[in-house]
Amino acid sequence: MNVDIQEERSKVSFNIDEFTNWYHGGFENVKKKRFIESYFLNDPELQDKVPTSYLSHKEVYEDSIRKSTIVLRKLKTLQDEGICGPELNSEILGGTYQKYIMREGCPISVHYDMFIPALRNLGTPQQQAEWIPRAINCSIIGAYAQTEMGHGTFVRGLETTATYDPQTKEFIVHSPTITAYKFWPGGLGQTANYAIVFANLYTLGKSYGIHGFLIQLRDEVTHKPLKGITIGEIGAKLGFNSVNNGFLGFDNVRIPLKNMMMKYSEVLENGEYKKSKSAVLTYGTMTYIRVAIVNDGTSLLANAATIAMRYSTVRRQSPIDSNSPEPRIIDHVTQQMKIFPIIAKVIVFKKVAEQLWDNYVQVTQELEKENLDGLASLHAISCCLKAVCTNETTQAVQTLRLACGGHGFLVSAGFSDIFKFVTAAQTYEGENTVLLLQTARYLIKSWSQALKGETLPASVAYLAKYVNGSQPKQWNGSLESILAAFEAATAGKLALAFKHLQQRMKNHSLEEATNLTGNELTKVAEMHCYLYLLQSALTSFKTAIKSASPALGQVLNDVLELYFTDTTIHSLGLLLQFNNITSDDIEALEIRLDECLGKLRNNAIGLVDGFDIPDTVLQSTLGAYDGNVYTRILDAAKKSPLNQEDVNKSFHMYLKPFIKSNL
């Protein structure tokens, strides 16, 4: 154990196990997590003999398929022994864990993340009974083919058509243009043999919008593409290179009537269309995946924060006092500013993600009873949280990499894998600007309802206080006054956006006016999201502090204060516009921020240790628990293929003749 990191841990004032149990939702969850990590990540067959970064694109994919089958066999063993059920398949191969087993992603993750959930969400009981058991057993491997080359987040713009033929009782699925080709679905390239395909439904000469269809793509025995199917992989990307993202085109492919997903709408044999109870229900899978993305990104950010914090306790550089030895870089307040607010952000995002998940489960249960009341609010908050959290996570990972200096640029440091995953999340399952505009649309509607005196859902109930021009509460710097300031700023910005939208509608259509007001609307959605994060964090932390030991309660209070203070300083522009915050108040905030950093100085290492991330997950030369950074960096360097021989053949072939040529 490195002596610096050992000494740092000796200063921690709280019980790390107590924090770990709270952070992960209880001891049983921690126990389960540790079992999964040990069972899978310590298996020699699942460990990389050669770092993934040295493999070719083809080798990375083929090795991920090998690992996927090993994981599935290990999962089957656990199920046969009664240790777990099939639901663990999704958690391992569809959740965050698959990124630790396969550093470039899992080619069957979408099978569990989206294909099986789509069968559940969109299929009738009969369709579920026919297809879900086969999918769970992996007798078939599925993809979720929604995004096209020409359309992504704007689902209504999809060009693929599914035209019903009453004579044969079949749908004819067709890609009328190149831009109609499905593009990006994970696992579609060479892995999946079925897909839920979203297409514009036509029957009896009329279009009924986007619907889902189950379509076989490849022969179940030979795996060759079926007639009329053009399919392949889209090629190398910045990351996720073993996810096997694919393209897919249809040339008048016929599928039976029963393969239309008919839980919420259906076509009868004569071609008659029976309307959905609620069209928005068909997008439930997308809401589910956006909820999961927030939690997934938080886990990855926790990894990055752990790496940067541990490295900062070992790395010594730049004497603060020229007469003293080089200090640990974490002693520099500027280094603390890079790392501590992000540690706080991890903890807040984690707890808010848990609340969002509980909300999703509750709304889903209500949907089964045909109660749609909570769906619009859930959709709005899941959209803006996905956008804000993935943007903030990506920026934070970059900040943490920079905090590690030049060594942070090494692949062996671990940041490159993390960054590839978090930055991809900014555009998949909904481009972030578009998602913010969807939230803004909900807020505009809510403001209109508030102006009419209608009762608002809980997530936007605060707007009712400001429709009559109410003044914000007096600023005193407390957490409650910060919340009130964010409420006033969000409502004030929304009121202005609503006013400008109405003015522009005098000369433009609603769509054109919305476009012209887009910058204001996205800012409103962001502020609403920050308010939601602050409100949820305050509720969650206050509850936790009441039941925690005094030592842990104090640390959680310090984390909460740091998150509130840092978020406030970064949002001062809008807060100043709608609140009575003075120059003295801002000075007090900045002093308070430095004080917050000081309060966490001795406990930050305990917090990242409390995230309970094993070295097998981190895969980082800089962030290992023992702190032996330099030994690990050199060991990793020696694994380079270029170091497996003293003289590379290029010397004899090119460099030596060039040197001898006396040019």
Side-chain angles (χ1 to χ4, degrees):
M1 186 73 65
N2 178 281
V3 292
D4 283 337
I5 205 167
Q6 205 165 7
E7 181 184 342
E8 194 74 15
R9 289 188 173 116
S10 69
K11 303 173 186 175
V12 173
S13 67
F14 64 97
N15 185 302
I16 294 176
D17 287 337
E18 182 187 1
F19 171 75
T20 299
N21 291 336
W22 170 76
Y23 178 77
H24 288 289
F27 173 73
E28 288 303 317
N29 286 348
V30 175
K31 182 179 176 183
K32 176 186 174 184
K33 181 186 82 71
R34 289 174 178 171
F35 168 76
I36 289 171
E37 289 163 352
S38 175
Y39 183 68
F40 289 99
L41 299 178
N42 290 331
D43 187 330
E45 287 192 89
L46 295 176
Q47 294 173 1
D48 295 324
K49 296 178 178 62
V50 177
T52 305
S53 57
Y54 295 126
L55 301 180
S56 71
H57 182 75
K58 186 169 178 286
E59 288 170 332
V60 167
Y61 169 68
E62 291 168 351
D63 192 55
S64 69
I65 289 292
R66 178 188 69 84
K67 286 183 176 179
S68 296
T69 59
I70 292 170
V71 169
L72 284 167
R73 290 191 180 96
K74 289 174 74 70
L75 285 164
K76 183 65 165 60
T77 299
L78 291 179
Q79 292 164 28
D80 291 344
E81 294 175 356
I83 296 174
C84 71
E87 70 282 350
L88 192 61
N89 293 20
S90 178
E91 194 170 335
I92 302 302
L93 287 169
T96 307
Y97 282 111
Q98 50 105 356
K99 297 179 177 66
Y100 308 142
I101 298 170
M102 287 154 267
R103 309 305 287 193
E104 286 283 347
C106 175
I108 60 173
S109 61
V110 169
H111 175 75
Y112 289 106
D113 273 344
M114 302 185 77
F115 180 71
I116 293 176
L119 290 174
R120 289 197 180 103
N121 292 338
L122 305 179
T124 64
Q126 294 80 8
Q127 289 173 320
Q128 292 178 27
E130 179 177 358
W131 296 109
I132 289 180
R134 298 194 70 203
I136 288 176
N137 290 335
C138 289
S139 301
I140 61 174
I141 303 292
Y144 185 90
Q146 178 172 295
T147 300
E148 295 177 354
M149 199 180 300
H151 287 91
T153 309
F154 182 59
V155 177
R156 284 179 293 151
L158 297 179
E159 298 177 76
T160 304
T161 59
T163 306
Y164 183 63
D165 181 355
Q167 303 298 319
T168 61
K169 299 180 178 58
E170 294 174 317
F171 287 101
I172 304 169
V173 183
H174 187 60
S175 306
T177 64
I178 290 178
T179 53
Y181 271 50
K182 300 298 179 182
F183 204 87
W184 282 107
L188 185 63
Q190 279 82 22
T191 311
N193 53 8
Y194 282 79
I196 298 288
V197 176
F198 286 84
N200 211 326
L201 168 63
Y202 287 85
T203 181
L204 302 180
K206 185 177 178 181
S207 169
Y208 288 93
I210 304 302
H211 291 71
F213 301 84
L214 181 67
I215 302 180
Q216 184 176 354
L217 309 176
R218 295 176 177 270
D219 186 276
E220 289 189 25
V221 177
T222 67
H223 206 58
K224 288 186 175 295
L226 299 183
K227 183 181 178 182
I229 301 287
T230 301
I231 191 169
E233 200 222 25
I234 66 173
K237 308 171 292 291
L238 288 176
F240 283 90
N241 280 307
S242 58
V243 170
N244 198 219
N245 302 85
F247 61 80
L248 172 65
F250 299 95
D251 184 7
N252 295 304
V253 174
R254 289 180 172 266
I255 62 171
L257 170 62
K258 68 170 187 172
N259 282 32
M260 174 183 169
M261 296 288 99
M262 295 193 187
K263 186 174 185 178
Y264 299 115
S265 56
E266 62 179 322
V267 172
L268 304 181
E269 288 190 358
N270 64 2
E272 180 186 349
Y273 177 79
K274 296 188 69 174
K275 192 174 182 180
S276 167
K277 300 167 188 173
S278 175
V280 294
L281 293 177
T282 60
Y283 305 126
T285 304
M286 299 302 293
T287 302
Y288 154 79
I289 204 70
R290 285 168 190 155
V291 172
I293 284 170
V294 176
N295 190 57
D296 197 21
T298 301
S299 298
L300 291 164
L301 184 57
N303 293 358
T306 301
I307 294 168
M309 183 61 210
R310 287 178 178 169
Y311 178 67
S312 296
T313 66
V314 172
R315 179 75 171 184
R316 288 179 172 271
Q317 193 163 301
S318 303
I320 297 171
D321 180 351
S322 60
N323 297 317
S324 300
E326 289 184 300
R328 303 180 183 98
I329 58 174
I330 199 61
D331 287 332
H332 294 276
V333 174
T334 50
Q335 186 76 350
Q336 295 170 21
M337 187 60 217
K338 293 174 185 175
I339 299 174
F340 292 178
I342 294 175
I343 293 175
K345 194 170 291 185
V346 167
I347 300 169
V348 168
F349 284 8
K350 168 80 169 174
K351 290 302 159 183
V352 173
E354 288 176 1
Q355 292 183 33
L356 182 63
W357 183 257
D358 291 342
N359 187 14
Y360 172 79
V361 171
Q362 181 181 348
V363 169
T364 302
Q365 291 171 346
E366 291 298 315
L367 288 179
E368 295 299 324
K369 303 173 187 175
E370 300 186 21
N371 179 359
L372 310 181
D373 292 346
L375 187 60
S377 177
L378 172 65
H379 174 72
I381 202 64
S382 68
C383 282
C384 70
L385 269 178
K386 186 269 182 185
V388 168
C389 289
T390 56
N391 283 344
E392 291 230 343
T393 296
T394 301
Q395 293 168 13
V397 171
Q398 172 70 340
T399 298
L400 293 168
R401 182 189 72 79
L402 293 173
C404 294
H407 290 325
F409 197 62
L410 289 167
V411 169
S412 69
F415 290 111
S416 59
D417 282 338
I418 296 170
F419 188 79
K420 286 183 290 190
F421 285 124
V422 297
T423 192
Q426 292 178 287
T427 47
Y428 66 62
E429 317 314 338
E431 193 277 330
N432 283 356
T433 301
V434 177
L435 292 185
L436 289 172
L437 289 171
Q438 290 187 26
T439 300
R441 186 181 302 119
Y442 175 76
L443 293 174
I444 288 290
K445 180 180 178 182
S446 298
W447 186 254
S448 178
Q449 292 172 322
L451 289 172
K452 298 172 186 174
E454 298 177 12
T455 302
L456 299 176
S459 65
V460 289
Y462 69 93
L463 295 176
K465 294 186 287 186
Y466 297 95
V467 291
N468 296 318
S470 299
Q471 293 298 310
K473 293 181 180 178
Q474 184 64 39
W475 173 272
N476 61 19
S478 67
L479 302 189
E480 287 73 18
S481 74
I482 289 174
L483 266 184
F486 269 86
E487 283 187 353
T490 307
K493 190 66 177 175
L494 177 57
L496 285 179
F498 184 85
K499 170 187 167 184
H500 297 154
L501 183 64
Q502 296 295 313
Q503 290 173 344
R504 286 167 175 143
M505 285 174 60
K506 294 175 182 177
N507 300 310
H508 302 279
S509 67
L510 172 61
E511 293 76 14
E512 290 170 329
T514 301
N515 176 51
L516 293 171
T517 318
N519 290 329
E520 291 181 78
L521 292 173
T522 55
K523 184 55 68 176
V524 167
E526 286 177 354
M527 289 298 289
H528 175 69
C529 186
Y530 286 126
L531 174 60
Y532 181 85
L533 285 163
L534 292 166
Q535 287 174 328
S536 300
L538 187 61
T539 301
S540 177
F541 275 65
K542 279 193 168 182
T543 302
I545 290 169
K546 287 179 182 177
S547 59
S549 66
L552 178 59
Q554 182 58 56
V555 173
L556 293 179
N557 189 71
D558 294 341
V559 167
L560 185 64
E561 186 179 8
L562 174 57
Y563 180 74
F564 265 67
T565 307
D566 183 60
T567 303
T568 302
I569 288 174
H570 280 91
S571 303
L572 275 175
L574 276 177
L575 293 177
L576 285 169
Q577 186 178 358
F578 299 100
N579 292 275
N580 298 317
I581 301 174
T582 67
S583 176
D584 289 342
D585 294 329
I586 296 173
E587 181 184 1
L589 275 171
E590 291 171 340
I591 293 171
R592 182 179 179 182
L593 180 61
D594 287 336
E595 291 172 347
C596 287
L597 299 177
K599 289 176 184 178
L600 278 185
R601 170 64 188 86
N602 291 336
N603 285 316
I605 190 68
L607 291 172
V608 298
D609 283 352
F611 294 157
D612 199 51
I613 306 169
D615 289 349
T616 49
V617 165
L618 282 182
Q619 294 278 302
S620 170
T621 53
L622 307 188
Y625 185 81
D626 62 18
N628 291 322
V629 169
Y630 302 114
T631 301
R632 291 176 181 275
I633 289 177
L634 187 57
D635 287 344
K638 290 178 179 179
K639 292 179 181 178
S640 168
L642 287 174
N643 291 324
Q644 306 315 305
E645 53 188 359
D646 289 334
V647 180
N648 183 262
K649 64 181 181 180
S650 64
F651 173 77
H652 298 290
M653 294 174 66
Y654 309 113
L655 191 56
K656 184 177 179 179
F658 178 78
I659 293 171
K660 295 295 185 182
S661 67
N662 294 316
L663 286 179

